[in-house]
């Protein structure tokens, strides 16, 4: 994935027109065991691009087809004869390009919307397409399991349901089809009266106005499976083990005997990236560098060392640069400035240490960047992904310069967090590390609001360690086998730049205010507040204020994402 070329692997190609959910389409299909590749929506569809492709998905987009900003695919997409699935903008694109009409809605439609799908009585003008339509519609039939769709157990005759099927689809569109293109028929309509499922009569072209890739879309995965297996004829077979093998082949050919250097942050991503390098290359060529910036969690350095040595690291360079980092951000209060300074310093120290190590110019730099890091920094595959926040590992001009020189490798840049965890387990990374919650590159600097000092780092480190320890110790109310930590996607403490009055014994105390955050999420793109059992929350609060003397008050953050982000800065 990413730079990893799949060779002869059969796959589904996704044309990315810039939607934030494009990667989710790829992920859902990969979860079904079929390799996916995402390319820009207007990429030329040359013969080598289409080698092994069994179907093409046209993604959504924030743009409209009737404006110059709307990305136009290579015309070859309609001439290649492969099955097409247009999702939202993808459907509008097909309609527009084939002579139909797309117009703005009076009001944007967003969220769960009822859709009714009916199997139409048709004359079998094209038996092949007739069969594909039947198998595609199986996806909407709640009596058919995904396993049956994958295994193709439903015979086409059996899969044509009788009577309409109604389900809740997930919509996000400002435009709608107002006239279908010639040859297309409507099979599904939304309760609001707009075409929701549209299929061509003879060509293998299918379109959905809604987003089956979003978890809130009922039958969403089944509909994708019906396209991938029923229409495109794919067979499940792509696994994480296969991914490791493909990465190995790609890494070995790209890197050769040159040294590679990976900056380890202590989080899951870089640790798994390190494990991947150690297991796929010769450990002698793998240099792992860890900077103790003073912005890390409690005992981080020790944990990193133990984990990586256990994974077979031969060259682990631990750089103690706490004073350098804390001095660089002294007095800074603006979040983006803090991120930028830290990001640039990471690179400065990295380059300096590289020189000190005497690694040649030909050496490669590896980063544990995930797809979510890219999309949120506006570097998504689609050229129109919107900038939300600069993440240090992709935003620095120095990294960009290295990227231009072709010396950056990001072997995880098409994976989501839970896929990285799966990969980590396969590579033998300790469960304690694999299950670890994400930790941002700039570390505690974005969890200490306003100015960062050494003293504040100590206070937050202590409070956060107590919080996390308690989450690991306490059982989940839903399942006695699981602890709270494993129920939560990410939890951490935030030190606010506010002091508040309290009492300790008979003495008035003026302590810092701490916020606790705990969220559930699938991939960090959106997040819900974890509904904390009140007793646990109260006891943890008491424990923190009793143990960390500088903290006088604890609050719980009850904001979801959006509108808030997960981190506070
Ligand atoms: P936000 O705060 O943007 O966070 O909702 C989404 C996820 O990304 C993590 N995060 C970062 N990770 N460098 C990173 O490597 C960063 O600069 C950064 N900022 C946020 C955050 O912890 C959450 O998991």
């Amino acid at each position: 994935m990413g730079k990893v070329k799949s060779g002869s692997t059969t796959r589904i190609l996704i044309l990315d027109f810039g939607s934030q959910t494009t990667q989710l389409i790829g992920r859902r299909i990969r979860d079904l065991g079929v390799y996916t590749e995402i390319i820009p929506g207007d990429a030329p569809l040359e013969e080598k691009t289409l080698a092994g492709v069994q179907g093409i998905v046209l993604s959504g987009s924030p743009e409209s087809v009737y404006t110059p900003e709307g990305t136009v695919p290579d015309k070859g997409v309609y001439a290649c004869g492969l099955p097409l699935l247009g999702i939202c903008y993808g459907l509008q694109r097909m309609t527009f390009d084939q002579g139909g009409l797309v117009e703005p809605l009076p009001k944007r439609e967003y969220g769960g919307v009822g859709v009714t799908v009916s199997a139409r009585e048709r004359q079998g003008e094209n038996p092949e397409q007739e069969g594909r339509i039947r198998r595609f519609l199986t996806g909407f039939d709640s009596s058919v399991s995904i396993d049956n769709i994958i295994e193709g157990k439903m015979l086409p005759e059996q899969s044509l349901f009788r009577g309409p099927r109604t389900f809740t689809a997930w919509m996000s569109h400002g435009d709608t089809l107002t006239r279908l293109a010639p040859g297309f028929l409507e099979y599904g309509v939304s309760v609001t009266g707009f075409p929701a499922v549209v299929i061509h009569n003879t060509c293998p072209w299918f379109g959905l106005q809604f987003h089956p890739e979003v978890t809130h879309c009922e039958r969403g995965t089944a509909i994708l499976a019906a396209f991938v297996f029923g229409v495109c004829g794919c067979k499940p077979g792509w696994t994480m083990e296969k991914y490791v093998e493909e990465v190995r082949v790609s890494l070995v050919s790209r890197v050769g005997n040159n040294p590679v250097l990976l900056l380890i942050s202590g989080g899951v991503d870089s640790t798994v990236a390190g494990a991947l390098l150690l297991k796929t290359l010769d450990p002698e060529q793998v240099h792992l560098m860890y900077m103790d910036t003073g912005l890390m969690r409690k005992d981080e350095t020790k944990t990193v060392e133990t984990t990586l040595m256990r994974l077979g690291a031969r060259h682990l360079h631990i750089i103690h640069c706490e004073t350098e980092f804390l001095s660089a951000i002294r007095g800074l209060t603006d979040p983006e400035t803090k991120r930028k300074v830290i990001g640039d310093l990471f690179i400065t120290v990295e380059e300096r240490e590289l020189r000190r190590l005497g690694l040649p110019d030909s050496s490669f730099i590896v980063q544990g960047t995930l797809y979510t890091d890219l999309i949120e920094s506006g570097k998504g595959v689609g050229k129109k992904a919107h900038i939300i926040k600069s993440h240090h590992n992709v935003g620095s001009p120095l990294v960009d310069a290295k990227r231009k020189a072709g010396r950056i490798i990001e072997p995880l840049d098409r994976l989501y967090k839970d896929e990285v965890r799966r990969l980590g387990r396969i590579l033998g990374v300790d469960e304690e590390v694999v299950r670890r919650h994400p930790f941002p590159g700039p570390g505690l600097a974005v969890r200490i609001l306003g100015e960062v000092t050494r003293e504040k780092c100590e206070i937050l480190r202590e409070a956060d360690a107590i919080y996390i320890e308690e989450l690991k110790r306490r059982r989940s109310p839903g399942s006695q086998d699981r602890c709270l930590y494993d129920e939560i996607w990410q939890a951490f403490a935030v030190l606010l730049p506010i002091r508040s009055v309290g009492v300790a014994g008979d003495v008035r105390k003026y302590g810092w205010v701490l916020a606790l955050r705990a969220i559930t999420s699938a991939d960090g793109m959106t997040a819900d507040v974890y509904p904390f059992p009140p007793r646990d929350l109260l006891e943890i609060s008491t424990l923190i204020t009793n143990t960390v003397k500088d903290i006088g008050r604890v609050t719980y953050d009850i904001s979801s994402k959006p509108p808030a982000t997960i981190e506070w800065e």
Side-chain angles (χ1 to χ4, degrees), residues 339 373 376 389-393 438-442 447 489-490 524 561 565-567:
R339 279 171 179 273
D373 301 332
E376 298 224 336
K389 191 185 276 184
S390 79
H391 284 200
H392 88 271
N393 40 4
F439 186 63
R447 294 180 178 174
W489 196 80
Q490 190 172 10
K561 173 185 178 178
T565 49
I566 297 174
E567 301 292 342

Side-chain angles (χ1 to χ4, degrees), residues 32-34 150-151 229 234-238:
L32 291 166
V34 174
I150 294 175
E151 289 164 25
F229 301 104
C234 293
K235 298 274 172 273
W238 186 77

Side-chain angles (χ1 to χ4, degrees), residues 36 41 64 69 74 93 111 205 214 225 302 350 417:
T36 54
S64 293
E69 287 76 32
D74 182 332
R93 193 72 253 174
W205 299 344
V214 171
K302 223 164 46 202
E350 188 180 10
K417 201 80 188 185

Side-chain angles (χ1 to χ4, degrees), residues 153-298:
K153 274 195 186 148
M154 283 305 290
L155 294 173
E157 289 76 17
Q158 290 169 290
S159 62
L160 192 63
F161 49 76
R162 304 266 164 252
R165 291 283 185 273
T166 298
F167 67 102
T168 305
W170 199 88
M171 303 267 185
S172 174
H173 62 131
D175 293 329
T176 185
L177 314 190
T178 47
R179 191 184 68 226
L180 303 192
F184 280 93
L185 287 174
E186 182 181 278
Y187 282 76
V189 63
S190 70
V191 284
T192 40
F194 302 110
V197 181
V198 171
I199 305 176
H200 197 277
N201 218 14
T202 48
C203 303
W205 299 344
F206 298 77
L208 306 170
Q209 182 51 72
F210 56 88
H211 290 268
E213 70 277 18
V214 171
T215 42
H216 307 292
C217 181
E218 245 183 90
R219 297 294 293 172
T221 308
I223 295 165
L224 285 175
F227 175 72
V228 170
F229 301 104
V231 174
C232 304
C234 293
K235 298 274 172 273
W238 186 77
T239 59
M240 211 39 106
E241 283 83 356
K242 210 161 168 183
Y243 170 82
V244 174
E245 182 49 23
E246 282 172 2
V247 170
R248 195 188 65 73
V249 171
S250 160
L251 274 179
V252 168
S253 80
R254 192 156 169 219
V255 168
N257 293 325
N258 292 308
V260 295
L261 175 87
L262 167 70
L263 203 59
I264 295 280
S265 72
V268 183
D269 312 340
S270 58
T271 309
V272 173
L276 192 58
L277 296 178
L278 291 167
K279 303 287 172 194
T280 57
L281 297 172
D282 176 355
E284 277 303 336
Q285 71 186 117
V286 179
H287 292 259
L288 304 171
M289 189 187 282
Y290 168 82
M291 295 181 200
D292 188 344
T293 60
L295 301 166
M296 322 306 285
R297 287 167 285 191
K298 195 175 173 184

